Amino acid sequence: MKILISTDIEGVAGVTHAEQTGSGNPEYERARAWMTAEANAAIQGAFEGGATQVYVNDSHGSFRNLLLDRLDARAQTITGKPRYLGMMAGVDLGCDAVYMVGYHSRAQTRGVLAHTINSFAFRNVAVNGVAFGEAQLYGALAGEFNVPVALLSGDDVFLEETAPVFPGAVGVETKRAQGNGVCLSLAPERACGLIREAAKAAVANVADLRPFKVAGPVECELTTQTPALADLFCQWPMMERAEASVLRFRAESMQSVVRMLNSLSAMSFMLR
């Protein structure tokens, strides 16, 4: 049984402010330690549940956040960017299930630090007319490899958003959103305990889960934060401009959608 753990930071217990999500300050150093602890809890629980191999994908920002010298030595870690599969890199290594740890709700929701891929660039991402967050985008990418999502951890808004998409997945509520930058949080130690228990239990559920799939071809509608960003993204010939800040493109698969969105995200740094 091979488990891929994809770890983000905005859904980690105690994380409430953008300062905690970017390098170069003490708040981030503390938050990345909490992120590492939650990843460890998921690793330990997966092995206790019967996993034989665990991969950990560092899935936030630069993809270089986890404190590797503090991780359970039984796990292997995927760090650095760019990667074709982004937050789901490793799913192609014969994995049986994915754990999404420290995730957050999609852009324009009331969740803590809610966004989709790039809060500077993207206001909304819709796939075949349905708003998708990172969990849905990457869960559908995993589905193309026939891998289901077995565990979800983050705030209550994230869990409410994803429960219908990933039925049967075990959910861990690390905090309750009371605003974009306000939450009622569990203590990190308590959150880690719940994640460990859930990660152990989730292994036993894998056989009953179905991958989340979006059949291609796929239409993606992207709403940018400004018309200037839309101007930039329309350098891609495949883009159709529907409105000043609304673009559409078609792709053969969810992997292609994710790769395009990540390419646009990288382009957006030209306008920062």
Side-chain angles (χ1 to χ4, degrees):
M1 176 72 69
K2 293 184 181 180
I3 301 295
L4 173 66
I5 300 171
S6 176
T7 57
D8 208 345
I9 202 169
E10 286 88 357
V12 168
V15 174
T16 56
H17 193 278
E19 187 176 21
Q20 294 173 292
T21 69
S23 62
N25 67 84
E27 288 294 314
Y28 166 74
E29 294 302 326
R30 185 177 295 110
R32 73 191 295 209
W34 296 339
M35 177 187 180
T36 302
E38 291 195 4
N40 255 339
I43 295 167
Q44 292 160 9
F47 278 119
E48 289 169 1
T52 56
Q53 197 162 1
V54 174
Y55 302 110
V56 182
N57 178 328
D58 189 327
S59 298
H60 173 69
S62 66
F63 295 170
R64 293 182 291 110
N65 308 275
L66 294 170
L67 300 169
L68 302 189
D69 56 343
R70 298 189 191 178
L71 278 180
D72 189 313
R74 293 172 293 177
Q76 297 180 69
T77 314
I78 302 165
T79 64
K81 65 190 330 181
R83 320 169 182 158
Y84 288 160
L85 300 182
M87 298 174 76
M88 209 45 60
V91 75
D92 54 334
L93 298 177
C95 292
D96 297 287
V98 171
Y99 291 178
M100 294 180 173
V101 176
Y103 269 57
H104 52 83
S105 59
R106 62 178 175 82
Q108 302 304 305
T109 65
R110 61 180 182 84
V112 176
L113 299 173
H115 68 280
T116 302
I117 299 179
N118 183 327
S119 58
F120 169 77
F122 304 157
R123 182 174 177 82
N124 188 60
V125 175
V127 173
N128 293 341
V130 179
F132 271 27
E134 291 167 23
Q136 294 91 332
L137 289 166
Y138 282 102
L141 194 161
E144 291 183 342
F145 291 87
N146 292 312
V147 180
V149 174
L151 181 145
L152 303 153
S153 79
D155 70 18
D156 58 316
V157 179
F158 168 70
L159 295 180
E160 290 169 9
E161 175 186 306
T162 53
V165 182
F166 307 111
V170 181
V172 179
E173 184 182 295
T174 58
K175 55 195 174 189
R176 295 190 67 81
Q178 297 187 332
N180 183 260
V182 186
C183 71
L184 180 65
S185 179
L186 298 178
E189 182 179 0
R190 176 59 175 155
C192 286
L194 293 177
I195 291 170
R196 183 171 179 173
E197 293 170 9
K200 179 179 178 180
V203 174
N205 294 340
V206 169
D208 298 324
L209 300 176
R210 293 184 178 180
F212 173 53
K213 297 197 175 193
V214 176
V218 182
E219 181 175 273
C220 181
E221 182 175 281
L222 173 64
T223 305
T224 62
Q225 293 288 9
T226 66
L229 285 159
D231 293 341
L232 175 64
F233 298 160
C234 280
Q235 297 299 314
W236 283 90
M238 67 187 296
M239 286 292 172
E240 299 176 7
R241 195 163 191 169
E243 298 176 28
S245 296
V246 179
L247 313 174
R248 296 191 184 101
F249 66 91
R250 291 172 180 82
E252 61 184 11
S253 66
M254 285 304 300
Q255 181 179 165
S256 295
V257 169
V258 166
R259 289 174 66 174
M260 174 57 79
L261 291 172
N262 285 332
S263 295
L264 297 176
S265 177
M267 286 177 66
S268 73
F269 282 84
M270 292 177 62
L271 299 184
R272 283 184 182 264

